[in-house]
Amino acid sequence: MIGTNNDATAIQPVIVGAGPAGVRAAEALVAAGLRPIMLDEAARAGGQIYRQPPPGFKRPKSALYGSEHHKADGVHRSMDALAGKIDYLTQALVWHCEGNVLDVLVDGVTRTIPYSHLILATGATDRVLPFPGWLTPGVYTLGGSQVALKYQGCAIGADVVFAGTGPLLYLVAYQYAKAGARVRAVLDTARVSDHAAGLTGMLRAPGLLAKGLYYMGWLRAHGVPIHNGIRPVRVLGDERVSGIVWRDAQGRELQVECDAVGYGLALRSETQLASLAGCQFDFNRQDRAWLPTRDRAGRSSVSGVYVAGDGAGIAGADAAELAGERAGLALIEDLGMKVDAARAQDLEKQLAGIGRVRQALERSFPFPTDWAESVQDDLVICRCEEITAGTLRACVAETGAREMNRVKALTRVGMGRCQGRMCSAGATELLAHALKVGPEQVGRLRSQPPVKPFPIRVMVEEQS
Amino acid sequence: MTEHLRTEVAIIGGGIVGGSAALFLRKRGIDVTLLETAVCGAKASGVNYGGVRRQGRAVDQLPLARRAHALWAELPALIGTDGEYVRAGHLKLARNEEDLALLEAYRAKTRGYGLNLEIIAGERFRQLYSWLGKGVIAGSLCPEDGHANPRLVSPAFGRAAARLGARVLENHRVTAVHHDGKEFVLRVGDALEIRARVLLNCAGAWGNEFARAFNEPVPEEAIHPLMMVTEPLPVFSDLSLGIQGGSIYARQVARGNVIIGGGRGISAGPDFAQPDFARPGRAAIPTLLAAVGRVMPALANAHVIRFWSGVEGNMPDHNPVLGPSGTTPGLFHAFGFSGAGFQIGPAVGEVLADLVTTGTSAIPIDTFGIARYATSTRTQVDQSHPAGTHEETT
């Protein structure tokens, strides 16, 4: 039984997230003789990048995960091998964290799961900066587009444009084209010169670079136009996407017909549980976001709480595997048990190496820092509460608000169903721009439970 | 280097009470400086439920509530925003005959204060409020009570005062205060020293800290009311709901979200960077959700999108400390509103302005004098400790 151990001194590690970081962390703990509880929102392990389709879906892993199918298979097999050695709860929404206890909703029942140690491997979602028409049905995030393909085996449209920037842009375009969709264009906000600037650094990761170049080359060879240095202008269509207009590097407006758009600008970490657990946060310039403070091993500022994978800072699936294992070792070390120091050191060294590649990636696919100034007042920034850029700017001008939580209180931005998970990136940029300060100056939205909405009609676990 | 500032009236606390006092003092041309630890309306009055309610108050509070009711009617002229204020009615529900009898007794007791309470029961009640659960049988409607958005209303008082020339210093935590025999001396760390002839203690849950600095501690405690909000739903009612004897309170805003309060959250505690920052807490959440399901069964499938809490000052008799200090001339207290300060806040500010400028208030406030606790504290000490001991009681 899970969560019924009432011995307060018992060692009970809990891992949130069954992606590459969570699985490797669990493996490390099991190897040390511990029996962690693992909680995951999905029905099957793998996280976002190695997401598994429902049982019975027949597409082979090579089709689902492309060149990464061996890694995906490795994570899945490791998870299978952990069966019986961990307590694994699927479709479990961890909606609150307080006083070394998690609140978890499973099948309409909320139960409390105490932990002595907590590894948060909560992953990431797409970072979205709105542009006109982004709410038109048929516009998806890049990650959402990929989930549709991997999990459900369906495409977001038949004639698709992918826009934004980041490695995922080319990967998803490639996967869609391979799966039989007509990819009408890839619109990258990064300039060719940006790609070139990151190239030297990318030589540290020849495999990754080769894959990226392969996707681009394959797309070009198959007649998919790739435009660099673009800015999306607007999505066309009312009831449904009918096209997209963009401005090219020379300032010309161009457009292409399509019935769906996949859009995203790299990723943003899911940090609400770390926030609710009381972790300290620092502003991370590379991610342009507030992230839980951590040491090289993944220890947060709260004793016994560890962060790993993209939820702790964007670094990709390979880094997530390494960081998950490293956090697991840190936990074991903190219990006073012996760990393989050489292995721990090696993991940190590899992570540092990926960190340097990440810097190069950031140069190749830079954040469009000119976004906020291009935004018209009537653009909806917060879709849950329908808050426009003009409302945010007026709030700054009329109330003297200088901080995200204050602007949230006064305008409702980030107060809707997503609780700022989707809109805070754009709102932060707009607020900072309106105040003529950097995004680090406007603070971060405080997290409140529940991490995601749940129905009022929940059953409370019977106390044993 | 310490900056020095002289002001006629210094106000500690930028909630609805402090902001309103600053506003009414400026309307009378008085030089005023308001000091707020965080931002105006961030702690209690800006994060509360938003009930603008006279019904259910102690009779002693009703003169204040009546004046406040008139001020709320002028809200846009007063603070430059309507604050989503609606006079949609406050319906207090009875779950049984005893509750109903209490509602009827309250109606009888409060006649003459303009509440115009109407008891609705039986078939008519069922017809009018078909969306209520079977567990409630009747209600007392105060047709001109209502609700507002505290996030918008409370900070707007401080801003309106600033527009009229008040010095509103946000992010200024008063770290020390005393009277040097001539005037009040307030310090904001090493950065600022303020001298003032008059001091208003509008510090909410921190009010007792400043009362203690002037040798008149009171048994105030911090409470953290638990709040939640649903996703936007089709609009079914613009009433504000309460329940005789407690449980939950609820209102639906124009956007469709239902805001519901009930039970208590927790203080964030020393593990958080801000020790006076409240959290929803886990303990009361299941009780709150279950009560929502009973009172408004139609909401059972709606999603809750956020729980939150704030920090309010609570007094044992649930009445505020309001009036002149018992130890220090020129000091006036207005704190400890016990989770019911939002509606009367604007009138309290006006009363404070009256006290500062004329020394008296037309609205009776004697019940709320700090002396009531000075006495009872001494009594408690006498009862619980043999003569000669000097242990403090809390």
Side-chain angles (χ1 to χ4, degrees), chain A residues 357-397:
Chain A
V357 172
R358 174 71 217 289
Q359 287 170 19
L361 274 173
E362 204 56 42
R363 270 195 289 281
S364 295
F365 304 99
F367 185 88
T369 50
D370 57 348
W371 173 78
E373 67 190 54
S374 74
V375 168
Q376 302 288 308
D377 277 350
D378 62 355
L379 182 66
V380 169
I381 303 299
C382 164
R383 63 179 171 181
C384 304
E385 291 293 327
E386 296 167 335
I387 307 302
T388 63
T391 301
L392 298 180
R393 287 170 176 150
C395 176
V396 170

mmCIF file of all heavy atoms in Angstrom, chain A residues 357-397:
data_model
loop_
_atom_site.group_PDB
_atom_site.id
_atom_site.type_symbol
_atom_site.label_atom_id
_atom_site.label_comp_id
_atom_site.label_asym_id
_atom_site.label_seq_id
_atom_site.Cartn_x
_atom_site.Cartn_y
_atom_site.Cartn_z
ATOM 1 N N VAL A 357 26.742 22.971 -24.435
ATOM 2 C CA VAL A 357 26.021 22.806 -25.709
ATOM 3 C C VAL A 357 24.736 23.644 -25.682
ATOM 4 O O VAL A 357 24.353 24.268 -26.670
ATOM 5 C CB VAL A 357 25.697 21.314 -25.955
ATOM 6 C CG1 VAL A 357 24.783 21.160 -27.159
ATOM 7 C CG2 VAL A 357 26.977 20.524 -26.150
ATOM 8 N N ARG A 358 24.114 23.624 -24.517
ATOM 9 C CA ARG A 358 22.878 24.413 -24.355
ATOM 10 C C ARG A 358 23.140 25.902 -24.653
ATOM 11 O O ARG A 358 22.326 26.574 -25.276
ATOM 12 C CB ARG A 358 22.362 24.198 -22.930
ATOM 13 C CG ARG A 358 21.185 25.021 -22.530
ATOM 14 C CD ARG A 358 19.912 24.578 -23.220
ATOM 15 N NE ARG A 358 19.109 25.756 -23.538
ATOM 16 C CZ ARG A 358 18.486 26.491 -22.623
ATOM 17 N NH1 ARG A 358 18.517 26.149 -21.362
ATOM 18 N NH2 ARG A 358 17.812 27.552 -22.961
ATOM 19 N N GLN A 359 24.301 26.397 -24.202
ATOM 20 C CA GLN A 359 24.642 27.796 -24.497
ATOM 21 C C GLN A 359 24.730 28.017 -26.002
ATOM 22 O O GLN A 359 24.272 29.039 -26.521
ATOM 23 C CB GLN A 359 25.979 28.163 -23.851
ATOM 24 C CG GLN A 359 25.900 28.332 -22.335
ATOM 25 C CD GLN A 359 27.282 28.443 -21.699
ATOM 26 O OE1 GLN A 359 28.262 28.744 -22.377
ATOM 27 N NE2 GLN A 359 27.348 28.172 -20.404
ATOM 28 N N ALA A 360 25.329 27.047 -26.679
ATOM 29 C CA ALA A 360 25.451 27.159 -28.137
ATOM 30 C C ALA A 360 24.072 27.096 -28.793
ATOM 31 O O ALA A 360 23.776 27.853 -29.733
ATOM 32 C CB ALA A 360 26.343 26.041 -28.669
ATOM 33 N N LEU A 361 23.206 26.216 -28.280
ATOM 34 C CA LEU A 361 21.846 26.116 -28.816
ATOM 35 C C LEU A 361 21.113 27.446 -28.656
ATOM 36 O O LEU A 361 20.373 27.887 -29.538
ATOM 37 C CB LEU A 361 21.067 25.019 -28.083
ATOM 38 C CG LEU A 361 21.206 23.590 -28.613
ATOM 39 C CD1 LEU A 361 20.516 22.624 -27.662
ATOM 40 C CD2 LEU A 361 20.608 23.475 -30.016
ATOM 41 N N GLU A 362 21.349 28.070 -27.508
ATOM 42 C CA GLU A 362 20.684 29.340 -27.237
ATOM 43 C C GLU A 362 21.154 30.417 -28.220
ATOM 44 O O GLU A 362 20.386 31.275 -28.609
ATOM 45 C CB GLU A 362 20.974 29.761 -25.783
ATOM 46 C CG GLU A 362 19.956 30.702 -25.180
ATOM 47 C CD GLU A 362 18.534 30.153 -25.241
ATOM 48 O OE1 GLU A 362 18.319 28.949 -24.983
ATOM 49 O OE2 GLU A 362 17.646 30.949 -25.561
ATOM 50 N N ARG A 363 22.430 30.327 -28.602
ATOM 51 C CA ARG A 363 22.913 31.271 -29.621
ATOM 52 C C ARG A 363 22.304 30.950 -30.987
ATOM 53 O O ARG A 363 22.006 31.836 -31.767
ATOM 54 C CB ARG A 363 24.444 31.226 -29.700
ATOM 55 C CG ARG A 363 25.115 32.218 -28.756
ATOM 56 C CD ARG A 363 26.591 32.428 -29.115
ATOM 57 N NE ARG A 363 27.414 31.270 -28.796
ATOM 58 C CZ ARG A 363 27.842 30.980 -27.562
ATOM 59 N NH1 ARG A 363 27.517 31.749 -26.551
ATOM 60 N NH2 ARG A 363 28.581 29.915 -27.348
ATOM 61 N N SER A 364 22.124 29.657 -31.248
ATOM 62 C CA SER A 364 21.566 29.248 -32.541
ATOM 63 C C SER A 364 20.088 29.595 -32.666
ATOM 64 O O SER A 364 19.598 29.894 -33.750
ATOM 65 C CB SER A 364 21.727 27.740 -32.737
ATOM 66 O OG SER A 364 23.075 27.385 -32.822
ATOM 67 N N PHE A 365 19.380 29.487 -31.540
ATOM 68 C CA PHE A 365 17.928 29.723 -31.540
ATOM 69 C C PHE A 365 17.592 30.755 -30.465
ATOM 70 O O PHE A 365 16.962 30.427 -29.450
ATOM 71 C CB PHE A 365 17.174 28.421 -31.256
ATOM 72 C CG PHE A 365 17.494 27.288 -32.188
ATOM 73 C CD1 PHE A 365 18.392 26.293 -31.833
ATOM 74 C CD2 PHE A 365 16.883 27.228 -33.438
ATOM 75 C CE1 PHE A 365 18.676 25.243 -32.704
ATOM 76 C CE2 PHE A 365 17.156 26.175 -34.303
ATOM 77 C CZ PHE A 365 18.067 25.183 -33.940
ATOM 78 N N PRO A 366 18.007 32.007 -30.654
ATOM 79 C CA PRO A 366 17.858 32.977 -29.554
ATOM 80 C C PRO A 366 16.397 33.366 -29.308
ATOM 81 O O PRO A 366 15.559 33.322 -30.211
ATOM 82 C CB PRO A 366 18.674 34.180 -30.042
ATOM 83 C CG PRO A 366 18.658 34.074 -31.535
ATOM 84 C CD PRO A 366 18.619 32.605 -31.851
ATOM 85 N N PHE A 367 16.146 33.732 -28.074
ATOM 86 C CA PHE A 367 14.828 34.248 -27.695
ATOM 87 C C PHE A 367 14.609 35.580 -28.419
ATOM 88 O O PHE A 367 15.494 36.436 -28.429
ATOM 89 C CB PHE A 367 14.813 34.469 -26.180
ATOM 90 C CG PHE A 367 13.479 34.896 -25.646
ATOM 91 C CD1 PHE A 367 12.537 33.957 -25.280
ATOM 92 C CD2 PHE A 367 13.166 36.239 -25.509
ATOM 93 C CE1 PHE A 367 11.307 34.347 -24.783
ATOM 94 C CE2 PHE A 367 11.935 36.641 -25.017
ATOM 95 C CZ PHE A 367 10.999 35.691 -24.654
ATOM 96 N N PRO A 368 13.443 35.775 -29.046
ATOM 97 C CA PRO A 368 13.213 37.040 -29.767
ATOM 98 C C PRO A 368 12.946 38.188 -28.783
ATOM 99 O O PRO A 368 11.804 38.448 -28.414
ATOM 100 C CB PRO A 368 11.996 36.738 -30.640
ATOM 101 C CG PRO A 368 11.290 35.621 -29.960
ATOM 102 C CD PRO A 368 12.314 34.846 -29.169
ATOM 103 N N THR A 369 14.004 38.839 -28.355
ATOM 104 C CA THR A 369 13.877 39.866 -27.311
ATOM 105 C C THR A 369 13.115 41.097 -27.794
ATOM 106 O O THR A 369 12.776 41.961 -26.989
ATOM 107 C CB THR A 369 15.263 40.289 -26.809
ATOM 108 O OG1 THR A 369 16.070 40.601 -27.944
ATOM 109 C CG2 THR A 369 15.912 39.181 -25.997
ATOM 110 N N ASP A 370 12.872 41.177 -29.095
ATOM 111 C CA ASP A 370 12.118 42.332 -29.605
ATOM 112 C C ASP A 370 10.610 42.064 -29.615
ATOM 113 O O ASP A 370 9.827 42.878 -30.091
ATOM 114 C CB ASP A 370 12.576 42.666 -31.029
ATOM 115 C CG ASP A 370 12.432 41.475 -31.985
ATOM 116 O OD1 ASP A 370 12.205 40.341 -31.500
ATOM 117 O OD2 ASP A 370 12.550 41.666 -33.203
ATOM 118 N N TRP A 371 10.209 40.918 -29.066
ATOM 119 C CA TRP A 371 8.790 40.537 -29.160
ATOM 120 C C TRP A 371 7.861 41.584 -28.531
ATOM 121 O O TRP A 371 6.903 42.035 -29.155
ATOM 122 C CB TRP A 371 8.564 39.170 -28.500
ATOM 123 C CG TRP A 371 7.113 38.800 -28.407
ATOM 124 C CD1 TRP A 371 6.338 38.319 -29.418
ATOM 125 C CD2 TRP A 371 6.267 38.937 -27.263
ATOM 126 N NE1 TRP A 371 5.055 38.128 -28.969
ATOM 127 C CE2 TRP A 371 4.981 38.502 -27.656
ATOM 128 C CE3 TRP A 371 6.470 39.373 -25.959
ATOM 129 C CZ2 TRP A 371 3.901 38.494 -26.784
ATOM 130 C CZ3 TRP A 371 5.404 39.372 -25.081
ATOM 131 C CH2 TRP A 371 4.131 38.942 -25.495
ATOM 132 N N ALA A 372 8.170 41.984 -27.294
ATOM 133 C CA ALA A 372 7.213 42.820 -26.555
ATOM 134 C C ALA A 372 6.940 44.142 -27.271
ATOM 135 O O ALA A 372 5.807 44.622 -27.305
ATOM 136 C CB ALA A 372 7.723 43.081 -25.139
ATOM 137 N N GLU A 373 7.985 44.718 -27.877
ATOM 138 C CA GLU A 373 7.754 46.028 -28.500
ATOM 139 C C GLU A 373 6.909 45.913 -29.763
ATOM 140 O O GLU A 373 6.301 46.886 -30.198
ATOM 141 C CB GLU A 373 9.087 46.729 -28.784
ATOM 142 C CG GLU A 373 9.928 46.054 -29.846
ATOM 143 C CD GLU A 373 11.325 46.650 -29.921
ATOM 144 O OE1 GLU A 373 11.995 46.704 -28.877
ATOM 145 O OE2 GLU A 373 11.730 47.063 -31.016
ATOM 146 N N SER A 374 6.860 44.707 -30.334
ATOM 147 C CA SER A 374 6.087 44.539 -31.570
ATOM 148 C C SER A 374 4.599 44.303 -31.298
ATOM 149 O O SER A 374 3.786 44.307 -32.208
ATOM 150 C CB SER A 374 6.646 43.343 -32.352
ATOM 151 O OG SER A 374 6.258 42.134 -31.710
ATOM 152 N N VAL A 375 4.262 44.079 -30.059
ATOM 153 C CA VAL A 375 2.894 43.639 -29.733
ATOM 154 C C VAL A 375 1.921 44.823 -29.698
ATOM 155 O O VAL A 375 2.161 45.815 -29.021
ATOM 156 C CB VAL A 375 2.891 42.902 -28.367
ATOM 157 C CG1 VAL A 375 1.479 42.688 -27.866
ATOM 158 C CG2 VAL A 375 3.619 41.569 -28.499
ATOM 159 N N GLN A 376 0.825 44.676 -30.442
ATOM 160 C CA GLN A 376 -0.228 45.691 -30.430
ATOM 161 C C GLN A 376 -1.075 45.533 -29.170
ATOM 162 O O GLN A 376 -1.186 44.449 -28.613
ATOM 163 C CB GLN A 376 -1.139 45.539 -31.656
ATOM 164 C CG GLN A 376 -0.412 45.639 -32.992
ATOM 165 C CD GLN A 376 0.038 47.047 -33.301
ATOM 166 O OE1 GLN A 376 -0.747 47.992 -33.258
ATOM 167 N NE2 GLN A 376 1.326 47.198 -33.598
ATOM 168 N N ASP A 377 -1.708 46.638 -28.763
ATOM 169 C CA ASP A 377 -2.487 46.631 -27.523
ATOM 170 C C ASP A 377 -3.637 45.618 -27.526
ATOM 171 O O ASP A 377 -4.045 45.146 -26.471
ATOM 172 C CB ASP A 377 -3.062 48.030 -27.246
ATOM 173 C CG ASP A 377 -2.040 48.920 -26.559
ATOM 174 O OD1 ASP A 377 -0.981 48.397 -26.136
ATOM 175 O OD2 ASP A 377 -2.286 50.130 -26.456
ATOM 176 N N ASP A 378 -4.198 45.309 -28.703
ATOM 177 C CA ASP A 378 -5.383 44.449 -28.713
ATOM 178 C C ASP A 378 -5.048 42.951 -28.692
ATOM 179 O O ASP A 378 -5.946 42.115 -28.697
ATOM 180 C CB ASP A 378 -6.284 44.784 -29.915
ATOM 181 C CG ASP A 378 -5.582 44.546 -31.240
ATOM 182 O OD1 ASP A 378 -4.369 44.206 -31.225
ATOM 183 O OD2 ASP A 378 -6.224 44.706 -32.290
ATOM 184 N N LEU A 379 -3.780 42.615 -28.634
ATOM 185 C CA LEU A 379 -3.408 41.199 -28.630
ATOM 186 C C LEU A 379 -3.711 40.562 -27.274
ATOM 187 O O LEU A 379 -3.311 41.068 -26.230
ATOM 188 C CB LEU A 379 -1.910 41.045 -28.941
ATOM 189 C CG LEU A 379 -1.407 39.604 -29.024
ATOM 190 C CD1 LEU A 379 -2.013 38.873 -30.213
ATOM 191 C CD2 LEU A 379 0.113 39.556 -29.095
ATOM 192 N N VAL A 380 -4.436 39.432 -27.314
ATOM 193 C CA VAL A 380 -4.737 38.704 -26.077
ATOM 194 C C VAL A 380 -3.481 37.957 -25.626
ATOM 195 O O VAL A 380 -2.919 37.163 -26.367
ATOM 196 C CB VAL A 380 -5.901 37.709 -26.294
ATOM 197 C CG1 VAL A 380 -6.040 36.776 -25.094
ATOM 198 C CG2 VAL A 380 -7.196 38.462 -26.532
ATOM 199 N N ILE A 381 -3.048 38.237 -24.398
ATOM 200 C CA ILE A 381 -1.848 37.600 -23.839
ATOM 201 C C ILE A 381 -2.247 36.400 -22.981
ATOM 202 O O ILE A 381 -1.629 35.348 -23.029
ATOM 203 C CB ILE A 381 -1.055 38.607 -22.974
ATOM 204 C CG1 ILE A 381 -0.680 39.840 -23.801
ATOM 205 C CG2 ILE A 381 0.192 37.948 -22.367
ATOM 206 C CD1 ILE A 381 0.185 39.558 -24.995
ATOM 207 N N CYS A 382 -3.292 36.595 -22.159
ATOM 208 C CA CYS A 382 -3.759 35.543 -21.253
ATOM 209 C C CYS A 382 -5.078 35.034 -21.809
ATOM 210 O O CYS A 382 -6.085 35.732 -21.771
ATOM 211 C CB CYS A 382 -3.921 36.126 -19.855
ATOM 212 S SG CYS A 382 -4.907 35.148 -18.706
ATOM 213 N N ARG A 383 -5.047 33.814 -22.355
ATOM 214 C CA ARG A 383 -6.250 33.340 -23.042
ATOM 215 C C ARG A 383 -7.327 32.901 -22.057
ATOM 216 O O ARG A 383 -8.505 32.988 -22.357
ATOM 217 C CB ARG A 383 -5.914 32.221 -24.029
ATOM 218 C CG ARG A 383 -5.362 30.991 -23.366
ATOM 219 C CD ARG A 383 -5.059 29.902 -24.378
ATOM 220 N NE ARG A 383 -4.341 28.831 -23.705
ATOM 221 C CZ ARG A 383 -3.918 27.734 -24.307
ATOM 222 N NH1 ARG A 383 -4.127 27.566 -25.583
ATOM 223 N NH2 ARG A 383 -3.287 26.821 -23.643
ATOM 224 N N CYS A 384 -6.942 32.411 -20.892
ATOM 225 C CA CYS A 384 -7.966 31.996 -19.923
ATOM 226 C C CYS A 384 -8.834 33.179 -19.516
ATOM 227 O O CYS A 384 -10.050 33.072 -19.399
ATOM 228 C CB CYS A 384 -7.337 31.405 -18.670
ATOM 229 S SG CYS A 384 -6.235 30.022 -18.913
ATOM 230 N N GLU A 385 -8.206 34.288 -19.236
ATOM 231 C CA GLU A 385 -8.944 35.443 -18.734
ATOM 232 C C GLU A 385 -9.116 36.530 -19.797
ATOM 233 O O GLU A 385 -9.650 37.603 -19.509
ATOM 234 C CB GLU A 385 -8.247 36.010 -17.499
ATOM 235 C CG GLU A 385 -8.320 35.099 -16.283
ATOM 236 C CD GLU A 385 -9.738 34.936 -15.743
ATOM 237 O OE1 GLU A 385 -10.522 35.892 -15.838
ATOM 238 O OE2 GLU A 385 -10.067 33.857 -15.233
ATOM 239 N N GLU A 386 -8.649 36.262 -20.997
ATOM 240 C CA GLU A 386 -8.789 37.205 -22.126
ATOM 241 C C GLU A 386 -8.229 38.584 -21.778
ATOM 242 O O GLU A 386 -8.890 39.602 -21.944
ATOM 243 C CB GLU A 386 -10.252 37.294 -22.562
ATOM 244 C CG GLU A 386 -10.756 35.953 -23.094
ATOM 245 C CD GLU A 386 -12.262 35.885 -23.258
ATOM 246 O OE1 GLU A 386 -12.964 36.633 -22.567
ATOM 247 O OE2 GLU A 386 -12.714 35.078 -24.078
ATOM 248 N N ILE A 387 -6.999 38.582 -21.297
ATOM 249 C CA ILE A 387 -6.337 39.836 -20.934
ATOM 250 C C ILE A 387 -5.413 40.249 -22.070
ATOM 251 O O ILE A 387 -4.577 39.464 -22.530
ATOM 252 C CB ILE A 387 -5.518 39.672 -19.636
ATOM 253 C CG1 ILE A 387 -6.381 39.093 -18.515
ATOM 254 C CG2 ILE A 387 -4.909 41.018 -19.211
ATOM 255 C CD1 ILE A 387 -7.608 39.892 -18.176
ATOM 256 N N THR A 388 -5.587 41.511 -22.524
ATOM 257 C CA THR A 388 -4.795 41.983 -23.660
ATOM 258 C C THR A 388 -3.519 42.675 -23.201
ATOM 259 O O THR A 388 -3.375 43.073 -22.037
ATOM 260 C CB THR A 388 -5.600 42.992 -24.499
ATOM 261 O OG1 THR A 388 -5.877 44.133 -23.673
ATOM 262 C CG2 THR A 388 -6.901 42.398 -25.004
ATOM 263 N N ALA A 389 -2.635 42.860 -24.175
ATOM 264 C CA ALA A 389 -1.392 43.586 -23.906
ATOM 265 C C ALA A 389 -1.704 45.003 -23.445
ATOM 266 O O ALA A 389 -1.050 45.534 -22.550
ATOM 267 C CB ALA A 389 -0.533 43.605 -25.165
ATOM 268 N N GLY A 390 -2.735 45.602 -24.048
ATOM 269 C CA GLY A 390 -3.103 46.972 -23.681
ATOM 270 C C GLY A 390 -3.519 47.072 -22.220
ATOM 271 O O GLY A 390 -3.184 48.050 -21.533
ATOM 272 N N THR A 391 -4.240 46.059 -21.745
ATOM 273 C CA THR A 391 -4.648 46.047 -20.338
ATOM 274 C C THR A 391 -3.427 45.997 -19.415
ATOM 275 O O THR A 391 -3.372 46.694 -18.398
ATOM 276 C CB THR A 391 -5.559 44.833 -20.071
ATOM 277 O OG1 THR A 391 -6.700 44.931 -20.928
ATOM 278 C CG2 THR A 391 -6.018 44.777 -18.629
ATOM 279 N N LEU A 392 -2.458 45.174 -19.790
ATOM 280 C CA LEU A 392 -1.242 45.074 -18.968
ATOM 281 C C LEU A 392 -0.481 46.402 -18.974
ATOM 282 O O LEU A 392 -0.012 46.871 -17.932
ATOM 283 C CB LEU A 392 -0.342 43.949 -19.488
ATOM 284 C CG LEU A 392 -0.930 42.537 -19.437
ATOM 285 C CD1 LEU A 392 0.069 41.509 -19.975
ATOM 286 C CD2 LEU A 392 -1.322 42.166 -18.020
ATOM 287 N N ARG A 393 -0.379 47.007 -20.150
ATOM 288 C CA ARG A 393 0.354 48.282 -20.245
ATOM 289 C C ARG A 393 -0.367 49.375 -19.467
ATOM 290 O O ARG A 393 0.255 50.183 -18.786
ATOM 291 C CB ARG A 393 0.517 48.680 -21.703
ATOM 292 C CG ARG A 393 1.539 47.821 -22.440
ATOM 293 C CD ARG A 393 1.513 48.065 -23.939
ATOM 294 N NE ARG A 393 2.569 47.309 -24.607
ATOM 295 C CZ ARG A 393 2.481 46.859 -25.845
ATOM 296 N NH1 ARG A 393 1.380 47.091 -26.557
ATOM 297 N NH2 ARG A 393 3.470 46.184 -26.384
ATOM 298 N N ALA A 394 -1.703 49.379 -19.575
ATOM 299 C CA ALA A 394 -2.470 50.407 -18.855
ATOM 300 C C ALA A 394 -2.318 50.217 -17.349
ATOM 301 O O ALA A 394 -2.244 51.193 -16.594
ATOM 302 C CB ALA A 394 -3.946 50.329 -19.249
ATOM 303 N N CYS A 395 -2.243 48.977 -16.922
ATOM 304 C CA CYS A 395 -2.077 48.699 -15.488
ATOM 305 C C CYS A 395 -0.769 49.309 -14.990
ATOM 306 O O CYS A 395 -0.727 49.939 -13.936
ATOM 307 C CB CYS A 395 -2.109 47.196 -15.248
ATOM 308 S SG CYS A 395 -1.791 46.735 -13.537
ATOM 309 N N VAL A 396 0.282 49.122 -15.765
ATOM 310 C CA VAL A 396 1.581 49.693 -15.378
ATOM 311 C C VAL A 396 1.492 51.218 -15.347
ATOM 312 O O VAL A 396 1.949 51.872 -14.406
ATOM 313 C CB VAL A 396 2.675 49.231 -16.371
ATOM 314 C CG1 VAL A 396 3.968 50.003 -16.132
ATOM 315 C CG2 VAL A 396 2.909 47.735 -16.221
ATOM 316 N N ALA A 397 0.873 51.776 -16.375
ATOM 317 C CA ALA A 397 0.830 53.240 -16.481
ATOM 318 C C ALA A 397 -0.058 53.868 -15.417
ATOM 319 O O ALA A 397 0.260 54.923 -14.876
ATOM 320 C CB ALA A 397 0.336 53.634 -17.874
#
